Amino acid sequence: MKLNKLSIGSAILGLALASTAALAQVTPQVPATTPAAPAAPAAPKLPSSPVKIDLAQRLVAMQSGSLDGLSRNLVETPARQMLSAAEPLIVRVPAEKREAAAKQIQADARKYVDETYPIVRKRAGELSNTQLQTAIEEKFTEDELRQIVAFLESPANKKLQQTLPEVSNALAQKLVADTRPSVEPRIKALEASIAKQLGMTPNAAAPASGPAGSGLKPAAPKPAAPKPSGSASKP
């Protein structure tokens, strides 16, 4: 994730998309007898200028990478959620059809992403050239835009972006190593608890008949009790 491209473009555009989705799903229930609250005064729009417009356009142009990531995340998130939900249910498919069904589910998910991403990305680009640029011009002064653009285009910022992945990766590796003794026992305890509720036993490697990556397998059937002999054995 690049700070120089995500910090402004994704924040503004993502907020706009999230707000639109929220408004589309939620309808406030206001009693008819309740008087409408007075609308808050709108924040004054900062004046524009040819120089400010140019700076805003340059800033928007820097957001191409963040728009790629934002669009792909919006498209892939529901697909990932559905794949995750389908994973433990694959055991319901007959064993001889299970592998084919899993491959078809993956293929359908890829097809959805391949067909939907260009639609969302195209619209994100259109919004960035209208809504995003307008928001930037209204919320930042010309001097603020000069400072932002100067930093984003500076050698110091380029060096920062080159260094951050390496530093972040080192931090992640150290964090995993330091917390493993505390985390792994809790993971195993959770796995054992889930296995008990499902009538399964924990297993280091998940078999083909169990949910992929779950580390669980069906519990072994209990041996049948010996049937009583019809007649006592003679000495």
Side-chain angles (χ1 to χ4, degrees):
M1 181 180 294
K2 295 184 177 180
L3 295 179
N4 61 333
K5 294 185 177 180
L6 288 176
S7 56
I8 298 175
S10 291
I12 296 176
L13 184 58
L15 179 60
L17 292 172
S19 299
T20 301
L23 290 174
Q25 296 176 10
V26 179
T27 303
Q29 301 297 324
V30 180
T33 56
T34 303
K45 297 180 180 179
L46 298 176
S48 187
S49 68
V51 174
K52 188 176 182 181
I53 293 174
D54 177 68
L55 289 168
Q57 290 175 341
R58 289 164 62 184
L59 186 54
V60 167
M62 297 178 191
Q63 310 310 313
S64 177
S66 69
L67 294 178
D68 291 343
L70 175 62
S71 301
R72 187 163 295 280
N73 187 57
L74 288 173
V75 172
E76 291 182 351
T77 294
R80 286 195 298 265
Q81 292 173 341
M82 283 185 278
L83 288 175
S84 178
E87 184 179 356
L89 301 178
I90 197 69
V91 295
R92 300 183 180 182
V93 179
E96 66 276 9
K97 299 180 180 180
R98 196 170 298 154
E99 182 177 356
K103 289 181 178 180
Q104 185 59 52
I105 291 172
Q106 292 287 344
D108 290 344
R110 285 194 297 270
K111 183 174 183 290
Y112 154 78
V113 171
D114 292 342
E115 293 179 350
T116 309
Y117 170 74
I119 298 173
V120 177
R121 180 61 182 87
K122 181 176 182 291
R123 185 54 181 158
E126 294 169 349
L127 287 174
S128 71
N129 292 327
T130 55
Q131 182 174 342
L132 179 56
Q133 181 173 332
T134 300
I136 290 175
E137 291 180 37
E138 292 177 353
K139 297 180 182 298
F140 294 90
T141 66
E142 182 177 315
D143 183 60
E144 289 171 338
L145 288 177
R146 287 182 186 275
Q147 296 179 50
I148 294 171
V149 172
F151 171 72
L152 296 181
E153 294 179 344
S154 68
N157 183 54
K158 293 179 181 179
K159 182 177 181 180
L160 175 64
Q161 302 312 315
Q162 294 172 353
T163 305
L164 278 178
E166 178 183 351
V167 174
S168 300
N169 185 54
L171 172 62
Q173 292 180 359
K174 180 63 174 173
L175 179 61
V176 170
D178 287 0
T179 58
R180 180 177 286 115
S182 299
V183 172
E184 283 192 349
R186 288 169 170 78
I187 292 176
K188 292 179 180 179
L190 175 61
E191 183 183 32
S193 176
I194 294 174
K196 180 180 179 181
Q197 299 301 320
L198 297 177
M200 308 175 81
T201 56
N203 186 33
S209 59
S214 66
L216 302 177
K217 66 177 181 180
K222 296 181 179 179
K227 295 182 180 180
S229 175
S231 58
S233 59
K234 296 180 179 180

